[in-house]
Amino acid sequence: MADFAGFEPLNAKTLPQRLGQLPALLDTAGGPAENWQVREVGDGNLNLVFIVEGSAGTVIVKQALPYVRLVGDSWPLPLKRSFFEHKALTRQEERDPGSVPRILHFDGEQAIIVMEFLTPHVILRRAFIDGRQMPRASRDLGLFLARTLFRGSDLAMPPRERKEELAVFADNVELCDITENLVFSDPYFDAKLNRHTSPELDGIVAQLRADRDVKVEAQVMKHLFANKNETLLHGDLHTGSVMVTETETRVIDPEFAFYGPMAFDVGVLLSNFWMSYFSQSGHGERGAMQAYLLNGVDEIWTTFRAEFSRLWRGERNGILYQRTLFEDQGDHLGSEQALSRVLAEIWTDALGFAGCEMHRRILGLAHNADFETIDDSAVRARCETKALKLGRQLLVGRRHIHSVSEVNDLAEQLEKEIVR
Amino acid sequence: MADFAGFEPLNAKTLPQRLGQLPALLDTAGGPAENWQVREVGDGNLNLVFIVEGSAGTVIVKQALPYVRLVGDSWPLPLKRSFFEHKALTRQEERDPGSVPRILHFDGEQAIIVMEFLTPHVILRRAFIDGRQMPRASRDLGLFLARTLFRGSDLAMPPRERKEELAVFADNVELCDITENLVFSDPYFDAKLNRHTSPELDGIVAQLRADRDVKVEAQVMKHLFANKNETLLHGDLHTGSVMVTETETRVIDPEFAFYGPMAFDVGVLLSNFWMSYFSQSGHGERGAMQAYLLNGVDEIWTTFRAEFSRLWRGERNGILYQRTLFEDQGDHLGSEQALSRVLAEIWTDALGFAGCEMHRRILGLAHNADFETIDDSAVRARCETKALKLGRQLLVGRRHIHSVSEVNDLAEQLEKEIVR
């Protein structure tokens, strides 16, 4: 999977010339291509994204660039991440049908994925910043987590297939490297790419970086992230990777996909709900929105547990916790005892990952719009401080926190203590 | 890595014709090949092994067969395991120089590895059965464990290299499948390939197979085995995979090598020392030998800890527990705190794996000569019962056993309680 010498970035002018003959595009957008309206709208950190509007409809054209867009060509990043994104989207569609955008065309050499234009969907993070409650998101995300994580693992897959997928995604080295550094290491020392809302946060930042337990536990989480190759993860499941309407939820951008611990996707997602919770007071009077978000965490986890348990009972056909030893011996409780253990471990680890995600989004390179869109830096700093503190508690105390409501209570206490 | 149509098993007659022109063999054994004395001596479960004696010296020729030798051609097994064995031997030699036989020639298509003939080495298991104390074995094995496990992991390797190795060894599916089934599942139900010293063991076997905690914990260990892809394991590190003299130790037969949890190799090795301990009373008055074996476990673990700690302090150049966060910040204790955690987890998991290994060697397909060579089945059953009981305790109680001496005390209690 080398990068290709013939790679050319698209632009609004060349796109119709280059892609205008593809039946998949012409069918959906409608011809002729020279009449297409093309806008580049990529606001992420890595890629080009075009909206292509034709006479019959609209499509999205996503193209990877050979470097990190946020940083520039001083940070090269292989085009093959497009291959991993495409493969992950395909797997996610198999495992949770309807959960991702429909793929219309894939070109590995040009790192181009053409997909369904989602409308009237909005980015979930944007909705939260605007104070909009999206009624389906939490439930759908709980289902997405359970189905993709369970069905990509040794709980469900034939071992040869799972090991082959593990090997394929083990090549997504550079994207894993980003997470390994930006999430688990950089935030905990004075790394070059770090930045934070200054100077109001200097105190707590210094405190966290001097906190031995925080550093050790963050490294324990990194150890898990890098070495527990349990299932195919989305790899970057924050609220910016989710598009929603009132009735529908789609998960996008799985270019960080690789075989890692189930708890990572769970923890990152919950973390972004809690961060949104702490950001709300920076955007206005948001009592109802805050309650919605804490309730959302509860709904994600409850749905995840229920769906994971359903799959455990009905689709556990892999090599782990085989029926042969439990149900086939009439020992249903044995299988339930094992299920409790597995879920408890996912929960504990998810809290650790959630803590790291909170820290890195405030102290590291890539920040969250939830906080960034708060103009007053003193207000923003107070919101971020709460998240940093909760993050520390989750990371270091995770083994002794047993329910969502304990975390939500902690969040509410922090919200009261550190007032606007 | 498909198997090859041109594969031909060697025999004593064809071997000189087929390998007689290889410089590597001629140099070591001496020509002409038609004068070579060739004996097939494979007593393992899987392969052909020839001793080839020439005018100048002796070499070992090992050839994989396309099926499990112990079972017959009803159980096919790919020849490419020879590739994995060769690759693992190469890595082990890099990571712990002098710990494995010297490789003279490798032929992937014919699944042949030609290697140094070790003399006057004996199989460590054989020495233990004969009541011989081998003074170097434990220390050398502790070093072997620490060096190979540490240096094959993200603690030491560049992440791209480690992920590439992970992907290569992920293809060793069939050998992993053997462990996954024979170690972690079959012993815990009435599987077709199982056998045990009957009927004296029927009672405890039924007890173990009805023991829900045993079954759940064995599956937790299987989950770890299959999904914690931490380092390159030997994969079958019992005392039959070790050749020793009074002054030297060599580890052989790593065809089960793959990326798995560090604790697996540690646990399997300790388990085989404890099993040998319980077998001793079946071979005679063996008080001194018993003390030697328990002391040996202590020496393996103490040496492992010390060497692993030395490497942690001096060679921790990988992505895990980076110096940047600890030593480079003047926080030496932080790095020591992390080291304690990592070692504690290896210990706990090793006890779980040790428990499974004891059960499978007595209840599963592949038994240990330590017990098998005890002729009196009632005596043998009493020896095996002790091991089964210790195995249960280690597997289920591992989180609350913190030192070798606690396990050794347990072993001594069992030895006293269940008399010959």
Side-chain angles (χ1 to χ4, degrees):
Chain A
M1 286 285 311
D3 289 340
F4 296 89
F7 173 80
E8 278 284 340
L10 293 163
N11 62 45
K13 216 181 118 187
T14 58
L15 190 146
Q17 297 156 19
R18 289 177 56 189
L19 307 183
Q21 302 309 314
L22 292 171
L25 266 88
L26 282 173
D27 287 355
T28 308
E34 56 265 33
N35 294 345
W36 287 351
Q37 300 292 318
V38 182
R39 281 176 297 146
E40 208 281 309
V41 296
D43 62 349
N45 300 330
L46 301 179
N47 308 294
L48 296 173
V49 180
F50 300 90
I51 296 181
V52 179
E53 226 179 314
S55 53
T58 307
V59 301
I60 291 287
V61 175
K62 180 171 178 179
Q63 186 179 36
L65 289 169
Y67 52 82
V68 177
R69 186 176 184 176
L70 174 70
V71 177
D73 54 14
S74 63
W75 187 341
L77 201 62
L79 297 172
K80 73 185 171 194
R81 65 186 188 272
S82 185
F83 164 84
F84 296 115
E85 174 168 2
H86 176 253
K87 195 164 177 80
L89 284 167
T90 308
R91 292 286 173 272
Q92 289 161 348
E93 177 62 26
E94 289 162 8
R95 288 168 190 161
D96 187 17
S99 64
V100 298
R102 200 157 44 88
I103 307 292
L104 304 173
H105 174 73
F106 171 59
D107 178 344
E109 295 196 21
Q110 294 299 326
I112 290 171
I113 303 175
V114 182
M115 59 191 128
E116 176 186 11
F117 175 65
L118 296 171
T119 179
H121 299 66
V122 293
I123 293 285
L124 185 58
R125 190 190 302 289
R126 188 70 241 169
F128 288 173
I129 293 169
D130 295 342
R132 287 180 63 191
Q133 299 181 23
M134 306 307 297
R136 289 280 308 206
S138 299
R139 189 172 165 275
D140 287 344
L141 288 168
L143 293 175
F144 175 80
L145 285 169
R147 290 171 185 169
T148 57
L149 301 181
F150 186 96
R151 290 176 172 151
S153 80
D154 268 332
L155 291 166
M157 288 177 78
R160 164 161 293 289
E161 260 178 57
R162 196 199 67 89
K163 287 184 171 89
E164 281 169 0
E165 294 272 296
L166 165 69
V168 167
F169 281 97
D171 190 34
N172 201 5
V173 176
E174 291 79 4
L175 282 278
C176 285
D177 177 80
I178 290 180
T179 309
E180 284 153 5
N181 282 306
L182 296 195
V183 176
F184 297 106
S185 291
D186 283 7
Y188 302 105
F189 74 103
D190 186 24
K192 211 163 61 182
L193 295 169
N194 287 344
R195 64 187 177 84
H196 63 263
T197 298
S198 64
E200 290 92 341
L201 287 187
D202 287 353
I204 186 166
V205 171
Q207 230 175 60
L208 278 172
R209 288 187 185 146
D211 188 328
R212 184 174 293 155
D213 292 329
V214 163
K215 290 189 299 176
V216 170
E217 294 301 330
Q219 294 314 293
V220 169
M221 298 320 298
K222 185 178 188 177
H223 191 163
L224 264 181
F225 175 82
N227 290 169
K228 190 174 184 180
N229 307 123
E230 197 176 29
T231 197
L232 183 63
L233 298 182
H234 178 283
D236 194 28
L237 192 56
H238 53 75
T239 48
S241 297
V242 182
M243 299 194 70
V244 290
T245 66
E246 300 276 323
T247 57
E248 214 198 48
T249 309
R250 303 288 189 103
V251 176
I252 62 172
D253 292 350
E255 59 212 301
F256 284 83
F258 82 111
Y259 264 79
M262 294 186 178
F264 184 74
D265 276 358
V266 179
V268 167
L269 184 64
L270 298 188
S271 184
N272 277 271
F273 270 65
W274 282 313
M275 280 189 276
S276 176
Y277 169 82
F278 287 124
S279 76
Q280 292 295 323
S281 67
H283 296 294
E285 286 302 329
R286 292 283 184 86
M289 194 63 200
Q290 289 173 326
Y292 160 83
L293 286 163
L294 294 188
N295 189 59
V297 172
D298 193 57
E299 197 178 7
I300 293 171
W301 179 249
T302 306
T303 307
F304 171 77
R305 269 193 79 102
E307 181 68 1
F308 193 93
S309 302
R310 189 182 72 79
L311 297 173
W312 180 278
R313 289 166 198 141
E315 295 185 14
R316 205 174 79 256
N317 302 317
I319 59 168
L320 300 184
Y321 309 94
Q322 287 164 283
R323 287 171 189 287
T324 338
L325 296 174
F326 300 106
E327 286 88 341
D328 294 357
Q329 309 290 331
D331 186 12
H332 290 271
L333 265 183
S335 139
E336 295 295 310
Q337 180 171 323
L339 170 61
S340 297
R341 279 212 43 156
V342 169
L343 284 170
E345 193 166 316
I346 294 173
W347 169 253
T348 304
D349 294 343
L351 293 182
F353 289 125
C356 293
E357 171 74 1
M358 284 183 204
H359 291 160
R360 75 101 164 199
R361 289 290 186 184
I362 297 169
L363 308 183
L365 172 67
H367 285 221
N368 274 2
D370 314 65
F371 295 123
E372 295 295 292
T373 51
I374 302 170
D375 287 332
D376 181 326
S377 87
V379 173
R380 185 165 74 243
R382 282 196 291 277
C383 292
E384 290 177 333
T385 298
K386 300 167 202 171
L388 289 175
K389 289 191 169 188
L390 184 66
R392 197 263 176 211
Q393 191 78 352
L394 297 186
L395 181 55
V396 175
R398 65 189 184 280
R399 287 176 205 82
H400 311 289
I401 301 174
H402 295 126
S403 66
V404 170
S405 67
E406 289 165 58
V407 186
N408 285 349
D409 286 353
L410 262 174
E412 288 181 316
Q413 278 177 43
L414 284 163
E415 184 63 21
K416 268 181 230 151
E417 268 171 30
I418 306 169
V419 283
R420 203 163 4 148
Chain B
M1 288 287 310
D3 288 340
F4 295 89
F7 173 80
E8 278 283 343
L10 293 164
N11 61 45
K13 216 180 118 188
T14 59
L15 190 146
Q17 297 156 18
R18 288 178 56 190
L19 307 183
Q21 302 308 313
L22 291 171
L25 266 88
L26 282 173
D27 287 356
T28 308
E34 57 265 33
N35 294 345
W36 288 352
Q37 299 293 316
V38 182
R39 280 176 298 145
E40 208 280 311
V41 296
D43 62 349
N45 300 329
L46 302 178
N47 308 295
L48 296 173
V49 180
F50 300 91
I51 296 181
V52 180
E53 227 179 313
S55 53
T58 307
V59 301
I60 292 287
V61 175
K62 180 172 177 179
Q63 186 179 35
L65 290 169
Y67 52 82
V68 177
R69 187 177 184 176
L70 174 70
V71 176
D73 55 14
S74 63
W75 186 342
L77 201 62
L79 298 172
K80 73 184 172 196
R81 65 185 188 273
S82 185
F83 165 84
F84 296 114
E85 175 167 2
H86 176 253
K87 197 166 176 77
L89 284 166
T90 309
R91 291 287 172 272
Q92 290 162 348
E93 177 62 27
E94 288 163 10
R95 289 167 190 161
D96 187 18
S99 65
V100 298
R102 200 157 45 89
I103 306 292
L104 304 172
H105 174 73
F106 172 58
D107 178 345
E109 296 195 20
Q110 294 299 325
I112 290 170
I113 303 175
V114 183
M115 59 191 128
E116 175 185 11
F117 175 65
L118 296 171
T119 180
H121 299 65
V122 293
I123 293 284
L124 185 58
R125 190 190 303 289
R126 189 70 240 169
F128 288 173
I129 293 169
D130 295 342
R132 287 180 62 191
Q133 299 182 22
M134 306 307 297
R136 289 280 306 207
S138 298
R139 189 171 165 275
D140 288 344
L141 288 168
L143 293 175
F144 175 81
L145 285 169
R147 291 170 185 170
T148 57
L149 301 181
F150 186 95
R151 290 177 172 152
S153 80
D154 268 333
L155 291 166
M157 288 177 79
R160 163 160 295 288
E161 259 179 56
R162 197 199 67 88
K163 287 183 170 89
E164 281 169 0
E165 294 272 295
L166 165 70
V168 168
F169 282 97
D171 190 35
N172 201 5
V173 176
E174 291 80 5
L175 282 279
C176 285
D177 178 80
I178 291 180
T179 308
E180 284 153 4
N181 282 306
L182 295 196
V183 177
F184 297 106
S185 292
D186 283 8
Y188 301 104
F189 73 104
D190 186 23
K192 210 162 62 181
L193 295 169
N194 287 343
R195 63 187 178 84
H196 64 261
T197 299
S198 63
E200 291 91 340
L201 287 187
D202 287 353
I204 186 167
V205 171
Q207 231 176 59
L208 278 171
R209 289 187 183 144
D211 188 328
R212 183 174 293 153
D213 293 328
V214 163
K215 289 189 299 176
V216 170
E217 294 302 331
Q219 294 313 293
V220 169
M221 298 320 298
K222 186 178 187 176
H223 191 163
L224 264 180
F225 175 82
N227 290 168
K228 189 173 186 180
N229 307 124
E230 197 176 30
T231 196
L232 183 63
L233 298 182
H234 179 283
D236 194 27
L237 191 56
H238 53 75
T239 47
S241 298
V242 182
M243 298 193 70
V244 290
T245 65
E246 300 276 322
T247 56
E248 212 198 47
T249 309
R250 304 287 189 104
V251 177
I252 61 171
D253 291 351
E255 58 212 303
F256 284 83
F258 82 112
Y259 264 77
M262 293 186 180
F264 185 74
D265 275 359
V266 179
V268 167
L269 184 64
L270 298 189
S271 184
N272 277 271
F273 271 64
W274 282 314
M275 281 190 275
S276 177
Y277 170 82
F278 288 123
S279 76
Q280 291 295 322
S281 66
H283 297 293
E285 286 302 330
R286 292 284 184 85
M289 194 63 200
Q290 289 173 326
Y292 160 83
L293 286 164
L294 295 189
N295 189 59
V297 172
D298 193 58
E299 196 178 8
I300 293 171
W301 179 249
T302 306
T303 307
F304 171 78
R305 270 194 78 102
E307 181 68 1
F308 193 93
S309 303
R310 189 182 73 78
L311 298 173
W312 180 277
R313 289 167 198 139
E315 295 185 14
R316 204 173 78 256
N317 302 317
I319 58 168
L320 300 184
Y321 310 93
Q322 287 164 282
R323 284 169 193 287
T324 338
L325 297 174
F326 300 107
E327 286 88 341
D328 295 356
Q329 310 289 330
D331 186 12
H332 290 271
L333 265 184
S335 138
E336 295 295 310
Q337 180 170 322
L339 170 61
S340 296
R341 280 211 43 156
V342 168
L343 284 170
E345 195 167 313
I346 294 172
W347 170 253
T348 304
D349 294 343
L351 293 183
F353 289 125
C356 292
E357 170 75 1
M358 284 184 204
H359 291 159
R360 75 100 163 199
R361 289 291 185 183
I362 298 169
L363 308 183
L365 172 68
H367 285 221
N368 273 3
D370 313 64
F371 296 122
E372 295 295 292
T373 51
I374 301 171
D375 288 331
D376 182 328
S377 87
V379 172
R380 185 165 72 243
R382 282 196 292 277
C383 292
E384 290 178 332
T385 298
K386 300 168 202 170
L388 289 175
K389 289 190 170 187
L390 183 66
R392 197 263 176 210
Q393 191 78 354
L394 298 185
L395 181 55
V396 174
R398 66 187 183 281
R399 288 177 205 80
H400 311 289
I401 300 173
H402 296 127
S403 66
V404 170
S405 66
E406 289 165 59
V407 186
N408 284 350
D409 286 353
L410 263 174
E412 287 182 316
Q413 277 176 44
L414 283 163
E415 183 64 21
K416 268 181 231 151
E417 268 170 32
I418 305 168
V419 283
R420 202 159 10 143

